[in-house]
Amino acid sequence: MAEVLALVEARLRTILGEPDARAAVTFLGTDRIEVLRFTDGDVVRYATLGMSASPMADPTAALADPVKGPRAELVLTVRAGLADTDKVLRPLAVLAASPQVEGIVVAPGASLDVGEPLWPAAPFTSALVAEPGGLVEDLDLDEPLDPVRFLPLLPMTPNEAAWKRVHGAAALQEKWLNSGTDLRDPLRKSVPLD
C-alpha cells in the first residue's frame, strides 16, 4: 500500500510539480486520504492521494480481492483567486473515501455527490467523473496489480446533475462543449439545459 502511494505521489510531482499544500483526512474505519494542492499560474489543481492504496471492489462480489481491481485517484482543476476553493479538501477526501465506505467503483461517467457545496458559495454539490489520461496518464503497476487511473472531476450544478441522470454523461459534456463552458470557473452558472 505505501509503495503504491509513493509511486502515485511521484507521478503527480513529475506532471504537476511540487505541491504547495497538503491536508489529510481520516474517516472512521477507512485508510487516510490526503489531498495535495498544486498551483500553476492562475490554475489550482487538487489531487487525492490514498484512494488507490487498495483496489476498488465490485459491490456485487461476495469477497473483495485485496490485489486485483481498478485503482484511481481524483484530480480537480479550478481557476485560482475567484473563490475559496481550498475548502474543497474535505469534500474531495469524502469522495476519495467513497469506494472504501460505500463499496462503489468510481469510473468515468459516474456522478459523485457530497450533498453540500464543494467550497463556500460554490454552485456545485457534485462532480462528473471524466475520462482519464489527459493531464496525468495512467500509472502502470507490477502485475497482477491494475494501473492507477487519474480521474478528472468536472463540477456540476444540481440542474446539470439532474439533467445528466436523464440524458447521460456524454450528452452533458456535449452541452458544455457546445456552450463553450469554462469548467474551471469555480463560480460558473449552469449550462442552458433546454
Side-chain angles (χ1 to χ4, degrees):
M1 175 178 119
E3 182 182 324
V4 169
L5 295 183
L7 292 170
V8 168
E9 184 168 353
R11 171 60 58 93
L12 289 169
R13 286 172 183 264
T14 299
I15 304 296
L16 304 177
E18 286 299 309
D20 59 0
R22 65 192 308 144
V25 179
T26 304
F27 303 100
L28 188 62
T30 67
D31 294 325
R32 172 179 152 131
I33 302 286
E34 287 190 85
V35 179
L36 310 181
R37 183 183 71 191
F38 301 88
T39 305
D40 182 15
D42 69 338
V43 170
V44 179
R45 291 186 174 89
Y46 301 93
T48 63
L49 180 63
M51 184 177 169
S52 63
S54 302
M56 293 181 274
D58 180 346
T60 62
L63 289 172
D65 189 322
V67 177
K68 291 192 65 69
R71 294 173 187 261
E73 296 290 353
L74 307 174
V75 180
L76 172 69
T77 303
V78 293
R79 297 221 178 279
L82 301 177
D84 187 9
T85 56
D86 280 351
K87 297 287 197 272
V88 78
L89 300 177
R90 184 167 176 75
L92 263 183
V94 167
L95 296 178
S98 60
Q100 289 181 59
V101 175
E102 299 173 33
I104 62 170
V105 175
V106 177
S111 298
L112 298 177
D113 196 322
V114 292
E116 61 185 39
L118 292 175
W119 51 82
F124 320 105
T125 60
S126 63
L128 174 66
V129 180
E131 291 291 332
L135 179 64
V136 183
E137 60 189 55
D138 293 354
L139 172 64
D140 290 326
L141 301 174
D142 292 339
E143 290 290 333
L145 302 180
D146 288 18
V148 176
R149 303 171 86 197
F150 296 88
L151 302 171
L153 293 182
L154 307 175
M156 293 187 292
T157 66
N159 286 345
E160 290 169 340
W163 196 87
K164 181 250 173 201
R165 279 193 293 278
V166 174
H167 300 282
L172 178 59
Q173 288 179 301
E174 189 173 318
K175 281 267 188 207
W176 283 336
L177 187 63
N178 292 339
S179 297
T181 306
D182 179 3
L183 296 174
R184 294 178 174 181
D185 181 351
L187 300 173
R188 73 173 179 83
K189 304 284 187 245
S190 181
V191 70
L193 303 167
D194 43 9

